[in-house]
Amino acid sequence: MPDKPHHSAETADPDAGFGAPAGVVVLGGAHGTLALARSLGRKGVPVWHVSNDTPLPAWSRYLAGHSEWAGPDSGGARAFLTELAGTEGLKGALLVPGGDGEVRFLSQSADMLSKNYRVMLPPWERLKWLCEKPLLYRRAEELGIDIPPTYRFGSLDEAAAADIRFPVVLKPNMGGGDNRFSRAKVVRADDRAGFTDAYRDAVGQIGIENVVVQQLVPGGGECQFSYAALWLDGAPVAEFTARRGRQYPVDFGYTSTFVEIVAEPELVEVSRLLLASSAYHGLVEIEYKRDPRDGRLKLLDVNPRCWSWMSLAAAAGCDLGGLMWDAIRGFPVERPQARIGTAWMYLVRDMVAAAVLASRGKLRPGDYLKSFPRVGSWATFAGDDPVPGLIDIPLTAWRVLTRRILR
């Protein structure tokens, strides 16, 4: 790797009034943001969190500060960050997205924000081909990467009359929206009546051009895989693959509950092809599902941000956050190998997932207990940073009540 700072379109020029990086500012996110704050904080890196959503990371002892804002889609987002850089001494800090809305905002605003911050993301003209699902799936088809069968409709009547193989899933073209459909992330429809109602509802919330309809790939979390990496200037510097052993809910996972590092060379090859097509730059996680009907990996989603099980990287000896920090300071970046078999667990939700699987005869209690010795990191708990783990359950209960049930 080069022994000087990267001068790319994705990072502010270190000579443009910046000295050494002032730290890292993470916008949004929850468990992934907490993982990054801990990873960097243990290295003595100042980490600041800005959020209009969950306060979970703010309880970490490794945060140097926390600020509330109106969110990335507010009209004053750029002005807020400009003022923050001055009042908190953060000029030259690296901005990292923790959520999907923050990804779009940072990529589209990089030129203006680079007067005060470093931004490690491609410009939106390239990044949108990874973030917006219709464009992502078009790019995948061009590159010969498998995707689940995807339906495209121009009207509600066309969708209602289409020849569809059920079950299907409905997804927003990109996450981060503040509406019921976007917050749900995925809606399943098992028959035409359910699909017609769900599709009409989704279109009414975000518009027909923003609703993606795909055949549901069968199988649970054991069929779902991920590629995680740090890329610099269009090339990978650290990467590994992982399998989502369990998820919650078990039939259609809203979130991972047990993830372990596995060797999947095919994932690496396909992911490199996809990311190179956009000259990618920054942290990234790509989700795939192996279709048990044909054994092929199908591309689902690209997350150019912190992700929920990100702490697994450091636990396995491939600290992506720490490597990112070395890179922006111009230090040589090694290519560490993640330890196969190291696992991450979201304990409370994983216990529920395991109980459901056990009741169906798909998981023996003894096999579940064998998961624990492999766990190298937890979603919220850390011995040197216990408070987030203690407040996660009541905080999650409150969010479910106020954001889902009451709404």
Side-chain angles (χ1 to χ4, degrees), residues 129-399:
W129 288 91
L130 302 178
C131 292
E132 295 187 0
K133 291 182 180 65
L135 296 180
L136 170 65
Y137 298 143
R138 188 193 309 175
R139 173 64 56 84
E141 290 174 335
E142 293 170 353
L143 297 173
I145 299 173
D146 288 332
I147 62 171
T150 303
Y151 303 94
R152 299 175 177 88
F153 307 117
S155 69
L156 292 174
D157 290 340
E158 182 182 344
D163 183 13
I164 298 175
R165 180 178 176 182
F166 295 100
V168 296
V169 293
L170 290 73
K171 303 185 284 189
N173 74 326
M174 183 176 175
D178 188 21
N179 57 76
R180 179 164 35 84
F181 180 59
S182 296
R183 289 194 299 272
K185 295 186 178 181
V186 182
V187 174
R188 174 172 173 163
D190 293 319
D191 53 39
R192 185 166 300 278
F195 165 70
T196 302
D197 289 343
Y199 190 69
R200 182 182 297 109
D201 185 46
V203 168
Q205 293 181 57
I206 65 174
I208 196 167
E209 70 281 1
N210 295 319
V211 181
V212 176
V213 180
Q214 281 185 333
Q215 281 187 18
L216 174 65
V217 179
E222 74 283 355
C223 297
Q224 197 149 331
F225 296 82
S226 289
Y227 168 88
L230 171 67
W231 276 54
L232 297 177
D233 297 326
V237 297
E239 56 191 354
F240 62 86
T241 55
R243 181 175 70 94
R244 179 187 285 193
R246 289 183 291 274
Q247 60 187 5
Y248 176 84
V250 297
D251 293 322
F252 198 74
Y254 178 77
T255 185
S256 302
T257 65
F258 182 78
V259 179
E260 59 183 333
I261 294 179
V262 296
E264 284 287 341
E266 182 184 354
L267 253 69
V268 175
E269 180 181 354
V270 172
S271 300
R272 286 180 176 180
L273 179 64
L274 178 64
L275 294 174
S277 71
S278 292
Y280 191 73
H281 188 76
L283 296 168
V284 65
E285 184 246 355
I286 307 179
E287 298 178 7
Y288 300 84
K289 195 167 186 179
R290 190 178 296 281
D291 193 330
R293 297 168 297 187
D294 57 17
R296 300 179 69 88
L297 286 165
K298 307 292 175 66
L299 172 66
L300 299 180
D301 202 6
V302 177
N303 298 308
R305 52 168 172 78
C306 301
W307 54 95
S308 62
W309 50 269
M310 189 173 173
S311 62
L312 177 58
C318 186
D319 185 0
L320 300 178
L323 294 171
M324 176 185 67
W325 178 249
D326 289 341
I328 66 166
R329 292 185 298 161
F331 292 175
V333 179
E334 299 179 356
R335 295 177 179 265
Q337 297 295 316
R339 291 187 293 274
I340 302 297
T342 309
W344 169 97
M345 182 183 285
Y346 193 161
L347 179 60
V348 175
R349 291 184 177 179
D350 194 57
M351 292 174 65
V352 176
V356 173
L357 292 171
S359 69
R360 298 178 180 178
K362 295 183 177 181
L363 180 65
R364 295 181 298 181
D367 291 335
Y368 178 64
L369 293 176
K370 291 178 182 178
S371 303
F372 286 83
R374 304 202 301 274
V375 176
S377 64
W378 307 88
T380 56
F381 178 76
D384 61 344
D385 190 26
V387 177
L390 296 174
I391 71 165
D392 183 50
I393 295 178
L395 182 61
T396 299
W398 175 252
R399 284 170 55 81

Side-chain angles (χ1 to χ4, degrees), residues 81-143:
L81 290 176
T82 298
E83 182 179 357
L84 185 71
T87 58
E88 301 297 340
L90 294 171
K91 188 176 179 65
L94 173 66
L95 286 175
V96 177
D100 294 321
E102 289 80 3
V103 168
R104 184 195 297 268
F105 165 71
L106 286 185
S107 181
Q108 293 180 337
S109 307
D111 286 345
M112 181 173 294
L113 293 173
S114 65
K115 299 174 183 178
N116 291 284
Y117 297 96
R118 293 170 168 88
V119 179
M120 189 179 283
L121 278 176
W124 186 245
E125 290 72 21
R126 298 204 315 261
L127 188 59
K128 67 182 181 181
W129 288 91
L130 302 178
C131 292
E132 295 187 0
K133 291 182 180 65
L135 296 180
L136 170 65
Y137 298 143
R138 188 193 309 175
R139 173 64 56 84
E141 290 174 335
E142 293 170 353
L143 297 173

